[in-house]
Amino acid sequence: MLKLIRYLKQVKWPILAIMLLLVVQAWCDLSLPQYTSDIVDIGIQQGGIEHAAPDQIRDETMENLKLFMEEDDWNKVEAAYTLGEDGIWYRNSVNESTLEELDEVFGMPMLMLSAMEEQGMDAATLQAMLTSGQMTLEQLEAMADQAMEQFGSQSDMIVEQKALLFVKEEYAAMGLDLDQIQMNYLLSTGGRMLGIALLMAVAAILVGLLASRTAAQLGMSLRGDVFKSVMSFSNTEIDKFSTASLITRSTNDIQQVQMVVVLMLRIVIYAPILGIGGIIKVATTHTGMEWIIAVAVGSALVLVALLMSLALPKF
């Protein structure tokens, strides 16, 4: 075992490269299911519309939504959008965190405006009521809170669905091609999936190549050392071993060690990387199920460590 570790130290850079490639492969492997989910949820069910914060929206619709926004929320919207000369608000290039904040800002106003339109009350009537004092902003907020209580634990999901439906109807009112929006999303997401799958395949091929070369180099060194050791035997020591046994030690046994090194570099190291990556991936989804994955991965790691601690010395 000590000699094996010494040999592995001689090829530490290829092993480091293999570990980096395994990280890339694990990231690709863990990313593909999310893209598959996005194609179904966003591409098919939502028509390719990803966010409640629209890419573009009419000025009159924005003014109606403004009635349901607090001043801080409206300031965020003004900072993220630009009003064009054609009377259309266009969303600026923003980062993902800002986009999530905008989704929350637009969600409830879109839900409230949709509910009012379903009841036959337009935004102009609401504006007149607010101006005349028949209704206050506090009453609007109370109505929103009451609606959220009725939805219960599904409130966030319902707000998101209503907001996305509102955006879809707004795009249709603006004359945008909804089918083209959906197709563009499917093609872009599918293209990213193909790119990730190609990257994962390249990483797997390089890992196999480097692992095989590293194991072959290890086998060559072991055979050389075994040969030198056998050649240094005295006649008395040689009489204790048969020729067939010495040939087996120099060929088949070293071949087994070489295969184990390949498996360790390609599979054994990959398993904990994939497990840790899975925990991180689940943690970013905020589903509250991280502890289940952590327990499962931890149990698997303990089992693998126990098996290796028992099997390697005997091997």
Side-chain angles (χ1 to χ4, degrees):
M1 178 62 70
L2 293 177
K3 285 187 177 182
L4 179 61
I5 295 176
R6 177 169 58 84
Y7 286 130
L8 291 177
K9 287 182 178 180
Q10 298 175 1
V11 290
K12 59 181 179 182
W13 294 116
I15 292 177
L16 179 60
I18 289 173
M19 295 184 66
L20 292 176
L21 288 170
L22 288 176
V23 171
V24 173
Q25 184 180 349
W27 175 82
C28 295
D29 203 0
L30 293 169
S31 298
L32 285 176
Q34 181 62 49
Y35 282 105
T36 304
S37 176
D38 289 342
I39 285 180
V40 176
D41 296 339
I42 300 176
I44 298 177
Q45 294 183 354
Q46 299 175 193
I49 300 174
E50 300 181 67
H51 299 281
D55 295 332
Q56 49 185 289
I57 185 172
R58 294 174 296 174
D59 184 41
E60 58 267 27
T61 305
M62 184 71 86
E63 289 296 327
N64 295 337
L65 293 174
K66 182 181 177 181
L67 298 174
F68 300 93
M69 295 182 186
E70 297 181 358
E71 184 176 356
D72 292 341
D73 292 338
W74 175 246
N75 291 335
K76 294 179 181 178
V77 172
E78 278 192 314
Y81 282 81
T82 300
L83 178 60
E85 297 180 356
D86 54 355
I88 303 295
W89 288 83
Y90 296 94
R91 193 180 69 206
N92 305 326
S93 178
V94 295
N95 55 40
E96 190 65 27
S97 61
T98 302
L99 199 52
E100 292 178 358
E101 291 181 1
L102 291 174
D103 288 342
E104 296 180 1
V105 169
F106 277 104
M108 183 54 67
M110 288 180 174
L111 173 64
M112 296 299 295
L113 187 58
S114 298
M116 290 184 55
E117 291 176 351
E118 291 175 358
Q119 296 176 2
M121 182 184 298
D122 56 12
T125 303
L126 177 62
Q127 180 67 51
M129 295 175 63
L130 290 173
T131 304
S132 62
Q134 298 179 14
M135 181 178 291
T136 63
L137 292 176
E138 288 75 12
Q139 290 176 324
L140 282 178
E141 294 177 0
M143 292 171 57
D145 294 338
Q146 186 177 7
M148 293 292 287
E149 292 178 358
Q150 292 177 352
F151 296 146
S153 60
Q154 302 295 320
S155 58
D156 293 339
M157 183 181 300
I158 293 176
V159 170
E160 181 182 3
Q161 292 176 351
K162 287 289 187 179
L164 292 171
L165 181 60
F166 184 94
V167 173
K168 192 173 184 178
E169 294 175 350
E170 176 66 14
Y171 285 169
M174 295 171 62
L176 300 180
D177 190 345
L178 297 180
D179 292 336
Q180 188 61 45
I181 293 175
Q182 183 180 36
M183 185 58 63
N184 289 341
Y185 179 83
L186 292 174
L187 290 175
S188 62
T189 305
R192 287 195 292 269
M193 287 185 67
L194 290 176
I196 290 175
L198 179 61
L199 179 60
M200 183 171 65
V202 172
I205 292 173
L206 291 176
V207 167
L209 175 63
L210 291 175
S212 299
R213 290 178 63 89
T214 301
Q217 184 176 350
L218 170 64
M220 181 180 65
S221 300
L222 285 175
R223 287 188 183 94
D225 286 350
V226 170
F227 181 78
K228 291 177 183 178
S229 179
V230 171
M231 294 301 294
S232 66
F233 285 173
S234 64
N235 292 332
T236 303
E237 290 174 326
I238 290 179
D239 291 339
K240 296 180 180 179
F241 303 96
S242 66
T243 302
S245 176
L246 293 177
I247 292 175
T248 301
R249 301 295 171 266
S250 301
T251 55
N252 186 66
D253 287 358
I254 294 178
Q255 181 70 20
Q256 294 298 322
V257 174
Q258 186 173 327
M259 291 300 298
V260 168
V261 172
V262 173
L263 293 176
M264 288 183 63
L265 294 176
R266 294 186 60 184
I267 299 176
V268 176
I269 297 178
Y270 183 63
I273 292 176
L274 190 64
I276 295 172
I279 295 175
I280 296 174
K281 196 73 175 177
V282 172
T284 57
T285 60
H286 305 292
T287 57
M289 305 293 288
E290 299 88 346
W291 67 274
I292 296 179
I293 304 297
V295 170
V297 172
S299 301
L301 290 176
V302 171
L303 179 61
V304 170
L306 178 62
L307 292 176
M308 290 183 64
S309 64
L310 294 176
L312 281 180
K314 297 180 182 300
F315 177 79

